[in-house]
């Protein structure tokens, strides 16, 4: 499985709180499994996803 993103969009990036930036930075997210595209989302909050994945990976009690 491969996850990629491109077309990072900062047009809606406003605010002062961390959450404002987490949800306002979006990009085209693609998830491909072998030769099958599982997800192709043009406006996905990739920074929020990255933060959530870091939290998930940092918790040793979490499983696959």
């Amino acid at each position: 499985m491969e996850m990629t993103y491109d077309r990072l969009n900062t047009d809606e990036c406003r605010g002062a709180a961390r959450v404002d930036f987490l949800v306002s930075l979006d990009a085209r997210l693609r998830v491909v499994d072998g030769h099958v595209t599982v997800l192709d989302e043009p406006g996905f909050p990739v920074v929020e996803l990255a933060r959530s994945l870091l939290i998930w990976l940092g918790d040793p009690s979490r499983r696959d």
Side-chain angles (χ1 to χ4, degrees), residues 6-9 26-30 39-45:
D6 60 7
R7 302 180 194 157
L8 186 63
N9 183 357
D26 59 50
R28 175 181 174 216
L29 177 69
R30 294 186 73 220
L39 177 74
D40 190 349
E41 180 65 39
F44 197 89

Side-chain angles (χ1 to χ4, degrees), residues 2-64:
E2 180 178 43
M3 294 173 56
T4 61
Y5 73 92
D6 60 7
R7 302 180 194 157
L8 186 63
N9 183 357
T10 60
D11 292 345
E12 301 296 321
C13 191
R14 294 177 185 82
R18 181 180 301 177
V19 69
D20 296 329
F21 295 101
L22 288 175
V23 298
S24 65
L25 293 169
D26 59 50
R28 175 181 174 216
L29 177 69
R30 294 186 73 220
V31 178
V32 179
D33 188 5
H35 296 290
V36 178
T37 298
V38 178
L39 177 74
D40 190 349
E41 180 65 39
F44 197 89
V46 292
V47 176
E48 184 178 12
L49 173 63
R51 180 181 179 272
S52 296
L53 288 173
L54 282 172
I55 292 169
W56 180 73
L57 288 170
D59 184 352
S61 68
R62 300 240 184 218
R63 300 172 63 116
D64 288 348

